[in-house]
């Protein structure tokens, strides 16, 4: 199975869903419309492509691009042919919700909870969407690039010791 073959299968089945594609470090990366991501992943899993293992779900934040500020990256894998694919979905900050994959992959449960916890991305249809690593009353999502990396009030740290 090749990147070209899989990309051709996706674009043939979902011609309006593919926004862009690239091939970084040999891995096919396809950007999909947010409303179609679950259908595309369902197709990849149940078709003859048999891309049936969800390796990872993670969030990304690009504050400099308001229309594509929040993203979700799905890594999928066909264990028999060792084929890997990366699917990306982007959305604005106002509409930060996407369909849950827990119906397709049991492992998506905790991955989606972690992504919600760190980025605030809501997964529609998730059975138990609540923080998994942070305290429930934290009040913010720590991986968003909105907060200083260091506490400016600290006096016990000498930045010159860290090459700054």
């Amino acid at each position: 199975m090749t990147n070209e073959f899989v990309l051709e299968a996706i674009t043939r089945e979902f011609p309006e869903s593919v926004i862009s594609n690239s091939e970084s470090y040999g891995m096919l990366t396809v950007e999909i419309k947010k409303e179609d991501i679950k259908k595309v992943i369902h197709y990849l899993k149940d078709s003859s492509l048999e891309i049936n293992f969800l390796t990872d779900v993670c969030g990304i934040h690009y504050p400099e691009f308001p229309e594509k500020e929040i993203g979700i990256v799905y890594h999928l894998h066909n264990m028999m042919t060792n084929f890997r694919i990366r699917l990306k979905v982007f959305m604005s900050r106002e509409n930060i919700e996407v369909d849950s994959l827990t119906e397709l992959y049991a492992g998506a449960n905790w991955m989606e909870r972690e992504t919600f916890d760190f980025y605030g991305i809501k997964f529609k249809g998730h059975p138990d969407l609540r923080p998994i690593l942070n305290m429930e009353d934290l009040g913010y999502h720590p991986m968003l690039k909105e907060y200083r990396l260091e506490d400016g009030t600290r006096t016990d740290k000498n930045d010159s010791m860290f090459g700054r």
Side-chain angles (χ1 to χ4, degrees):
M1 197 157 40
T2 65
N3 290 344
E4 295 79 20
F5 179 78
V6 174
L7 181 60
E8 150 61 37
I10 294 170
T11 53
R12 183 181 60 245
E13 196 70 27
F14 304 97
E16 302 296 318
S17 300
V18 176
I19 296 171
S20 67
N21 66 79
S22 64
E23 201 173 308
S24 54
Y25 302 103
M27 183 186 290
L28 177 62
T29 303
V30 183
E31 184 181 341
I32 304 289
K33 286 183 180 177
K34 180 179 85 159
E35 55 274 1
D36 298 335
I37 190 65
K38 188 172 183 177
K39 290 187 287 190
V40 171
I41 292 176
H42 191 265
Y43 167 75
L44 291 173
K45 181 180 182 197
D46 290 343
S47 70
S48 61
L49 297 172
E50 295 179 335
I51 301 174
N52 51 17
F53 184 76
L54 179 65
T55 306
D56 193 21
V57 175
C58 56
I60 48 179
H61 183 210
Y62 295 121
E64 62 273 13
F65 303 114
E67 293 301 313
K68 292 183 167 188
E69 184 173 356
I70 303 289
I72 304 172
V73 180
Y74 299 92
H75 290 106
L76 300 154
H77 189 188
N78 177 325
M79 301 289 246
M80 300 302 285
T81 62
N82 198 28
F83 180 81
R84 296 174 186 268
I85 185 170
R86 178 185 302 124
L87 300 177
K88 292 183 178 183
V89 174
F90 290 99
M91 61 203 87
S92 67
R93 191 73 176 267
E94 291 78 43
N95 193 9
I96 191 167
E97 186 175 66
V98 71
D99 290 327
S100 174
L101 298 182
T102 53
E103 298 170 4
L104 301 174
Y105 300 100
N109 188 331
W110 286 54
M111 293 180 214
E112 289 176 355
R113 282 181 65 188
E114 180 184 42
T115 304
F116 166 72
D117 197 6
F118 285 133
Y119 292 91
I121 300 168
K122 295 175 186 77
F123 291 90
K124 217 175 351 178
H126 192 282
D128 186 22
L129 194 60
R130 60 188 165 97
I132 192 170
L133 296 170
N134 292 318
M135 298 175 295
E136 290 203 28
D137 60 346
L138 186 62
Y140 65 94
H141 303 285
M143 293 300 287
L144 295 178
K145 297 176 183 175
E146 303 175 324
Y147 310 101
R148 294 176 48 118
L149 293 177
E150 298 179 25
D151 184 359
T153 63
R154 287 186 62 180
T155 58
D156 63 328
K157 186 171 126 186
N158 182 352
D159 280 349
S160 66
M161 301 297 286
F162 298 97
R164 299 182 194 136

